[in-house]
Amino acid sequence: MEKYISKLSEFDTQNAIALVKEKFSSELCAALDLSRVSAPLFVKRGSGINDDLNGVERPVDFDIKETGEIAEVVHSLAKWKRMALMRYGFPIHTGLYTDMNAIRRDEICDNIHSIYVDQWDWEKVITAEDRNEEYLKATVRSIYGAILRTTAAVKEKYPALDTKLPDFISFVSTYELEEKYPDLTPKERENAAAKECGAVFVMKIGGRLKSGEKHDGRAPDYDDWSLNGDILVYNPMLDSAFEISSMGIRVDRESLISQLKAENAEDRLKYEFHTLLMNGSLPLTIGGGIGQSRLCMFLLQKAHIGEVQVSIWPEREVKKCKAAGITLL
């Protein structure tokens, strides 16, 4: 990016980050009836609790002197949250959220990707009757409303910012995107949809499309691939789709078995999480993660995620940012 000049000073940026995090967490709790809980930074290897993401990322691990066990830094808390809802006895249509911090050592660093991940991880108890597309869409609209109210608060405090979002979020499935843009890659389809709509929820991610390809990878044992998706906004700073959240209605017994079979991962059924799900101990839930640095970057109109979070960057990224006038924290 040439001649980039941040709209906020470094001092104002820090205060604005605090405003975004405080305002959005409050709005999210009110919109979804969530309560804050404490969450782990690491879990035991072999517990089946850690998020496998696309199945190829390596978790950061270390040995524990006191117990002799191996612990893994979490990738996300997708499975842990559902177990926590069971343990704490949350009533139906209430849920939890936590400030999740993670390390993704295999991430390729660029303007929007860092090895450090911070997000609002949330999970909510639902009923069997709620496991449908309309309930999913209603929840997405509630989250998007929280984003709009946070945007308004930030712009009121910092008039130099002119972040634009549509009043309503649109919905499209990966199958519809493939049919509409057969000659584009999945990411190019997302760019086209986000630019057209301003804000869009791309649904049904994880399974194979008519072409036999996947739109994107998803672990087979937390989201139901027919009832999930990503919240994307159009980011004019980067002229591309910008993912704010990945979320979905979680697997029940039937979808878990089907998706594990599709991924040849039925051996996971031996893990504690999967055993609890199969025997009906875990509640039915909907949940997701909302990127804290991502939302701050977008609302504060920053060109690089390193302007709103502290991380370690490869030398090529440091040089690129310096040449473009981007100050990394």
Side-chain angles (χ1 to χ4, degrees):
M1 179 174 295
E2 297 180 2
K3 299 180 180 178
Y4 168 74
I5 300 176
S6 174
K7 293 188 176 183
L8 297 180
S9 68
E10 289 185 56
F11 180 81
D12 283 342
T13 294
Q14 292 300 316
N15 288 325
I17 290 171
L19 173 59
V20 171
K21 292 187 175 184
E22 291 168 8
K23 177 65 174 175
F24 182 75
S25 59
S26 174
E27 292 290 347
L28 182 69
C29 285
L32 299 183
D33 199 1
L34 307 179
S35 300
R36 190 187 185 284
V37 301
S38 300
L41 176 61
F42 43 83
V43 294
K44 291 181 182 179
R45 176 190 287 175
S47 64
I49 297 175
N50 206 355
D51 182 354
D52 295 295
L53 300 177
N54 293 311
V56 297
E57 293 86 353
R58 301 169 301 151
V60 174
D61 58 36
F62 59 93
D63 64 291
I64 304 171
K65 180 179 179 180
E66 189 73 8
T67 67
E69 296 172 299
I70 302 297
E72 294 179 348
V73 176
V74 297
H75 277 145
S76 87
L77 298 171
K79 300 186 184 75
W80 177 88
K81 292 178 296 181
R82 195 165 176 181
M83 295 177 72
L85 288 174
M86 172 192 70
R87 186 182 312 119
Y88 299 150
F90 273 77
I92 291 172
H93 294 147
T94 69
L96 60 82
Y97 92 95
T98 188
D99 294 293
M100 192 282 293
N101 297 293
I103 301 172
R104 296 183 183 173
R105 64 196 292 184
D106 292 324
E107 198 72 73
I108 304 301
C109 297
D110 57 22
N111 291 62
I112 61 174
H113 295 97
S114 167
I115 62 171
Y116 171 66
V117 178
D118 56 342
Q119 61 185 33
W120 292 282
D121 243 325
W122 65 275
E123 199 83 9
K124 182 175 180 177
V125 181
I126 61 173
T127 67
E129 291 71 32
D130 295 326
R131 299 191 77 260
N132 60 71
E133 200 169 285
E134 285 310 308
Y135 189 87
L136 174 65
K137 288 181 176 180
T139 304
V140 170
R141 292 188 185 101
S142 294
I143 294 171
Y144 187 68
I147 293 173
L148 289 179
R149 290 187 291 276
T150 303
T151 303
V154 171
K155 290 168 70 173
E156 181 179 6
K157 177 73 173 179
Y158 300 100
L161 300 174
D162 58 353
T163 310
K164 294 179 176 61
L165 283 171
D167 292 336
F168 303 98
I169 189 168
S170 301
F171 296 86
V172 66
S173 74
T174 55
Y175 301 94
E176 291 169 328
L177 284 180
E178 183 186 53
E179 186 172 340
K180 186 174 182 179
Y181 304 110
D183 298 325
L184 300 184
T185 67
K187 289 303 177 188
E188 289 170 342
R189 293 169 194 159
E190 290 183 353
N191 289 340
K195 195 165 188 174
E196 177 185 348
C197 301
V200 61
F201 186 66
V202 177
M203 302 184 294
K204 302 183 178 180
I205 302 174
R208 297 195 179 276
L209 304 173
K210 290 181 180 179
S211 62
E213 300 296 320
K214 290 186 177 184
H215 180 84
D216 198 2
R218 286 293 187 276
D221 46 7
Y222 59 95
D223 279 352
D224 185 325
W225 293 341
S226 66
L227 292 168
N228 71 346
D230 291 343
I231 296 177
L232 307 175
V233 296
Y234 173 66
N235 188 332
M237 183 75 67
L238 305 177
D239 189 27
S240 68
F242 191 76
E243 181 185 323
I244 297 291
S245 173
S246 177
M247 58 172 286
I249 290 174
R250 308 308 197 183
V251 289
D252 57 8
R253 279 178 286 192
E254 290 72 23
S255 54
L256 173 66
I257 292 172
S258 173
Q259 291 177 185
L260 288 178
K261 186 175 181 179
E263 296 298 292
N264 194 28
E266 292 166 285
D267 60 307
R268 297 187 191 182
L269 289 170
K270 67 179 183 291
Y271 293 136
E272 178 188 9
F273 170 84
H274 303 73
T275 299
L276 290 170
L277 198 158
M278 291 298 293
N279 67 24
S281 297
L282 293 179
L284 297 174
T285 64
I286 183 172
I290 302 164
Q292 295 189 9
S293 290
R294 285 285 184 94
L295 187 60
C296 289
M297 178 184 169
F298 179 74
L299 296 187
L300 306 187
Q301 296 183 299
K302 298 293 189 177
H304 198 287
I305 200 165
E307 295 180 88
V308 295
Q309 65 158 238
V310 179
S311 186
I312 294 175
W313 305 97
E315 189 59 28
R316 58 170 168 74
E317 197 67 16
V318 174
K319 289 181 178 178
K320 183 185 78 173
C321 289
K322 186 176 182 180
I326 295 170
T327 301
L328 299 176
L329 297 181

